[in-house]
Amino acid sequence: MNLLSWIGRQAIELFSTLGFFFIVGLKAFTGIFSGTWSKEDLFEQLERVGVGSVLVVSITSAFTGMVLAVQTLDQFVRFGATGYIGGVIALSMVREMSPVLTGLVVSGRIGAAMAAEIGSMKVTEQIDALRTFGLEPHVFVGVPRLLAGLVMLPVLTLFSFVIGITGGFLYVAAHGVNAHLFRRSVEALLAPSDIYGGLLKAAVFGVLIVVSACGQGFMAGQGARGVGTATTKAVVWGNMLILVFNYVLSSLLFGGIKG
Amino acid sequence: MDPVMRMQGVSVSFDGREVIGGMDMTLPVGEITCLMGPSGCGKTTALKLASGLLKPDKGRIELLGKVIGPETQEDELVEVRKELGVVFQGGALFDSLSVGQNIAFPLKYCRGIEDPESISKMVLDMLEHVELEDVRDKYPAMLSGGMRKRVAIARSLVHSPSLLLLDEPTTGLDPVTARHIDQLVVDLCGEFGFTALVVTHDIVSALGIGDTLLLMHEGRIAWRGVPVEWERSDHPMVKSFAQGMVSVGRTGGEKM
Ligand SMILES: Nc1ncnc2c1ncn2[C@@H]1O[C@H](COP(=O)(O)OP(=O)(O)OP(=O)(O)O)[C@@H](O)[C@H]1O
Ligand SMILES: [Mg+2]
């Protein structure tokens, strides 16, 4: 009985949170064209999300590219498929690793910071102050952050492709794989649709990160504790949504068996 | 003339507890009304109702000709809000903006002024009024509590709103600055014909600036009168409130 009511309460919280995220996202999207928001804030958010994440994304991607190379090299050489190594590493990076890792890294860095910032704006009545100036906080605060996520995640992901594949190449090249062979196999296996698919995922993840961060920030309860909880929840929700949507998008974009 | 704000039979509850119960309040044009009352009696809540930030559960509020009831939507209030100047109890300055940008904010978003030179001139002018010319490029986190209060007051006045709502504007200020702020509010109301609601604990300030004094008790207006009536009143609530303040002063609290 207790277990049932616990499950019930969790389900209600899950759906009401998702519903609120949806409203936050919808208001920010419609507010892009019809609402009042600040361009200066947009530049600041672009810088925070983009420039601020370059280093972490680079390190994460380089090592992921290298570890992919470690795993593929041995297997592929054993089966005489050395000519496919570059392509396989590139495909895994572009379709899965880069968008997902970039998403998770940015969710941890930016999602947490955004939720904390908005939560403390709420607790210190800055959100109410925005309302007294005739502004809609979901638009004024939400739009610049949404646009920053939407633009910067694909940019960072593109960057992650390049670094990750380079990392993988350096490892296999150090183990005697021919550079020309590596490049040819990347060219042969990687189609433009893979790149577009990866970037599309990244853009979706950008929206998910911002929506969970803003949503949790706006929902923050009273005091420092409320802000702390909002921060943690923003990251948990951001990561969870990224992984769920990643599965959905992968099966839509790349799923099934293609000749 | 119609009052700037009229509240009739307004009630609000938080988590099932009634904080404001059947409150009536009127702010006549061009007058300064001071709202006093013990901590936790609902003054801030009343101010949020008067600014339309909070919708009443029951009753109606007429704010600058717009009727606000339990069903009123946020977007109906956008234009009315641009005519308000609100100072929140904690100041509510935008942390991410400098002092100058904070004060420029209502000029941009309530008045649609874009020319950087006229904005800069009005901001400096306002900073002079609150004697803070030299902090324009600092951020709120770098200021003292009293300075932040003064910046918040500057921000609420800069766009010449029709109604000023000040939540404890002089709490935490030294007596000299507090009187200065009082003078500023009186002067500006005289000069521009603002109507003001000032929530305060500070009886000296209330007697000095108020055209009308209101004393709140447990979510209602318990006493209403002009300053001379306050001094003569033998209403028990007035007496206990006034005495409470005197004894706080004697025991060395910072409030006057
Ligand atoms: N958002 C809220 N949620 C729940 N309770 C609230 C909320 N805001 C105010 N209250 C409660 O309403 C009552 C009145 O609060 P209010 O802030 O209006 O008091 P106040 O008269 O301004 O006090 P003070 O002089 O200390 O500022 C308090 O008991 C407070 O706990
Ligand atoms: Mg208060």
Side-chain angles (χ1 to χ4, degrees):
Chain A
M1 200 55 220
N2 261 339
L3 183 69
L4 272 183
S5 75
W6 182 82
I7 292 174
R9 258 183 286 128
Q10 295 297 313
I12 290 170
E13 198 195 320
L14 186 85
F15 286 109
S16 64
T17 308
L18 282 175
F20 185 64
F21 286 179
F22 182 75
I23 291 170
V24 168
L26 195 68
K27 281 191 179 164
F29 266 113
T30 50
I32 296 176
F33 307 103
S34 59
T36 312
W37 45 276
S38 137
K39 288 205 183 59
E40 289 110 66
D41 195 20
L42 173 62
F43 292 128
E44 194 176 322
Q45 298 303 328
L46 283 170
E47 190 181 326
R48 262 195 228 172
V49 178
V51 182
S53 305
V54 166
L55 189 66
V56 200
V57 168
S58 315
I59 294 173
T60 321
S61 307
F63 282 94
T64 306
M66 274 150 58
V67 92
L68 282 176
V70 171
Q71 294 296 342
T72 35
L73 182 68
D74 173 46
Q75 309 281 331
F76 279 53
V77 170
R78 225 187 298 167
F79 291 106
T82 318
Y84 289 105
I85 291 176
V88 167
I89 293 175
L91 270 187
S92 336
M93 280 312 291
V94 168
R95 286 179 170 189
E96 300 292 338
M97 290 307 192
S98 286
V100 171
L101 284 173
T102 308
L104 295 179
V105 164
V106 175
S107 168
R109 277 192 78 247
I110 302 300
M114 261 182 204
E117 187 192 13
I118 299 174
S120 74
M121 284 178 78
K122 184 172 173 217
V123 170
T124 58
E125 298 180 311
Q126 293 174 54
I127 297 288
D128 278 340
L130 285 175
R131 291 168 65 206
T132 64
F133 295 126
L135 297 168
E136 154 69 308
H138 286 111
V139 172
F140 192 82
V141 175
V143 169
R145 286 163 179 77
L146 181 78
L147 289 176
L150 199 58
V151 171
M152 276 311 179
L153 260 280
V155 172
L156 287 168
T157 299
L158 200 58
F159 189 74
S160 159
F161 292 169
V162 176
I163 304 261
I165 295 170
T166 312
F169 167 73
L170 290 179
Y171 180 84
V172 294
H175 291 77
V177 174
N178 178 295
H180 186 62
L181 194 63
F182 188 93
R183 219 189 88 194
R184 273 245 311 278
S185 92
V186 173
E187 282 166 3
L189 285 185
L190 196 65
S193 65
D194 294 316
I195 297 181
Y196 299 145
L199 295 179
L200 174 71
K201 277 183 168 183
V204 172
F205 298 164
V207 172
L208 294 173
I209 292 167
V210 171
V211 164
S212 351
C214 292
Q216 289 295 344
F218 284 124
M219 275 198 278
Q222 298 294 306
R225 177 129 170 241
V227 177
T229 313
T231 309
T232 315
K233 283 192 178 170
V235 177
V236 172
W237 272 95
N239 290 355
M240 212 156 63
L241 288 174
I242 287 173
L243 294 175
V244 172
F245 273 74
N246 184 52
Y247 168 73
V248 174
L249 288 170
S250 280
S251 34
L252 289 177
L253 293 166
F254 312 118
I257 299 163
K258 290 170 194 133
Chain B
M1 229 189 300
D2 280 341
V4 174
M5 197 278 314
R6 178 190 285 145
M7 221 181 252
Q8 283 169 318
V10 167
S11 301
V12 174
S13 305
F14 291 120
D15 314 319
R17 195 168 65 86
E18 193 171 74
V19 171
I20 303 279
M23 180 154 160
D24 299 314
M25 180 161 67
T26 308
L27 301 180
V29 178
E31 281 195 15
I32 300 177
T33 305
C34 289
L35 180 63
M36 294 183 285
S39 189
C41 70
K43 301 183 296 297
T44 298
T45 311
L47 186 123
K48 288 198 172 163
L49 283 163
S51 59
L53 283 175
L54 205 65
K55 312 284 178 304
D57 295 339
K58 263 189 278 171
R60 60 180 251 150
I61 298 163
E62 261 173 69
L63 177 60
L64 297 162
K66 171 96 195 123
V67 177
I68 304 171
E71 309 294 331
T72 307
Q73 298 296 313
E74 270 300 283
D75 49 2
E76 299 173 36
L77 298 174
V78 169
E79 291 310 315
V80 168
R81 293 238 178 87
K82 293 183 179 172
E83 294 306 320
L84 302 181
V86 184
V87 173
F88 289 87
Q89 200 164 350
L93 296 176
F94 301 121
D95 296 321
S96 57
L97 302 181
S98 71
V99 166
Q101 289 168 326
N102 262 287
I103 300 177
F105 201 90
L107 293 174
K108 272 194 210 159
Y109 294 106
C110 300
R111 291 292 171 262
I113 302 174
E114 278 170 11
D115 171 38
E117 257 173 55
S118 32
I119 289 185
S120 160
K121 204 176 140 293
M122 290 161 96
V123 167
L124 265 183
D125 198 43
M126 211 56 236
L127 279 171
E128 252 167 58
H129 268 303
V130 293
E131 297 181 347
L132 285 174
E133 299 92 322
D134 46 345
V135 301
R136 192 182 61 173
D137 299 320
K138 292 204 169 147
Y139 283 81
M142 302 153 89
L143 305 181
S144 74
M147 286 159 111
R148 248 177 270 161
K149 229 19 178 312
R150 282 186 279 162
V151 174
I153 291 169
R155 187 179 69 175
S156 74
L157 292 171
V158 70
H159 57 302
S160 307
S162 314
L163 174 60
L164 265 179
L165 299 162
L166 312 179
D167 199 349
E168 306 198 13
T170 54
T171 305
L173 298 184
D174 64 273
V176 177
T177 316
R179 294 297 82 80
H180 187 81
I181 295 292
D182 287 346
Q183 196 58 49
L184 185 68
V185 172
V186 172
D187 289 349
L188 290 166
C189 286
E191 193 176 334
F192 299 103
F194 297 157
T195 306
L197 174 66
V198 183
V199 169
T200 183
H201 279 135
D202 183 342
I203 294 187
V204 179
S205 153
L207 292 173
I209 66 173
D211 293 307
T212 308
L213 307 184
L214 303 174
L215 183 64
M216 241 185 120
H217 185 72
E218 290 180 351
R220 253 176 241 265
I221 303 294
W223 184 88
R224 179 195 167 97
V226 296
V228 281
E229 288 169 339
W230 174 274
E231 274 149 12
R232 286 196 221 117
S233 169
D234 47 11
H235 191 285
M237 227 77 88
V238 172
K239 281 188 138 168
S240 75
F241 188 71
Q243 271 158 15
M245 288 326 253
V246 170
S247 69
V248 168
R250 282 199 190 130
T251 51
E254 14 165 79
K255 284 169 203 148
M256 293 252 313

